[in-house]
Amino acid sequence: MIVAATTEAGLSWDLADGIRAMFAYPFMVNAFRAGTVVAVTAGVIGWFMILRRQTFAGHALAMAGFPGAAGAIWLGVGATYGYFAFCLTAALAVAAIPAAGGGGGSAGGSAGRSEESAAVGTVQAFALACGFLFVSLYQGFLGGVNALLFGSFLGITGGMVRTLAVLALVVLVMLAVIGRPLLFASLDPAVATAAGVPVRGLSTAFLILLGTATAEVSQITGTLLVFTLLVIPAATAQVLTARPVLSLTLTVLLGVLVTWAGLTVAYYSPYPIGFFITSFSFGLYLLARLAVGVHDMLGRAARGPRMAGAPA
């Protein structure tokens, strides 16, 4: 972000003054604080979600926040209660679906995944239908619906930041407790089951944490943009490295980076924050894909002459 200032010498550019001016507004300070909390939480939980190939389930939980918040507003209670009620209920509904591919052959695994996807899609469709019904019954100002779908970083209060921080701490602590067995169960559920790891229980616990994190993040990003911070930073990091610790750290850093960049650019732009956060995230993902593709191509080119010169 750059701010122009007119001086005797003409037009000058002062980055430091621009930053100070932006942070002079309490709503921007709260937006950066909340955005950081949300980016860290979504990054960590999203990394496991991508690893476990439960992106579609995460999308269904994100969509469940919309009818929850709309229904809560229609009933005259806080949208926060609706977010958590519907996201956690949807998480339990998804957890009740039989596990895909339980350790059988590839055909059984494919059939199990198909059944799971169909059931998750059914939950998502029903949630969206309820959301439109609640909006119709509410008959309120359409801008409120836009906030539910696309979020509002700039209406965050100090109390909301503290609440988000507490919820994020609970989710991250619980995830740290189950992290190692969850990683084992995510990478090889059949071997983990044989080793006595409670794979089914871990899956249910993870979905509950995912539902909690989704409800938390949706209050800031809205139900449509929550997917950006849950998916793209984690997907980008896992493209760049397969090392769990490095990949998880990179996920969090990328999430915070695109959130800060989106807030900064949007401060001096008439366009929505979510557009910039999503665009920056997508741009980094494309760059990561391009970098890995170029690296692989150069590696194959370097191996070619060595293999051609090898003795028969």
Side-chain angles (χ1 to χ4, degrees), residues 77-233:
V77 298
T80 299
Y81 299 105
Y83 276 119
F84 280 97
F86 267 63
C87 286
L88 291 177
T89 300
L92 292 174
V94 173
I97 298 170
S106 59
S110 176
R113 282 188 289 272
S114 177
E115 179 183 353
E116 181 182 23
S117 297
V120 171
T122 301
V123 171
Q124 176 177 313
F126 178 69
L128 284 174
C130 290
F132 289 122
L133 172 64
F134 296 148
V135 169
S136 177
L137 292 173
Y138 176 57
Q139 297 179 343
F141 178 52
L142 185 60
V145 177
N146 289 337
L148 297 182
L149 293 174
F150 301 103
S152 176
F153 274 86
L154 303 184
I156 302 168
T157 64
M160 291 178 65
V161 174
R162 289 188 290 271
T163 301
L164 289 173
V166 170
L167 290 172
L169 182 62
V170 171
V171 170
L172 294 177
V173 168
M174 294 300 298
L175 199 56
V177 171
I178 66 172
R180 291 180 67 87
L182 180 63
L183 179 61
F184 185 16
S186 302
L187 294 174
D188 199 330
V191 174
T193 300
V197 176
V199 175
R200 185 69 175 172
L202 286 172
S203 178
T204 301
F206 173 73
L207 284 170
I208 292 174
L209 291 177
L210 177 59
T212 303
T214 301
E216 173 198 355
V217 177
S218 295
Q219 297 179 65
I220 307 301
T221 62
T223 57
L224 296 182
L225 297 178
V226 62
F227 218 48
T228 295
L229 293 177
L230 277 175
V231 174
I232 304 182

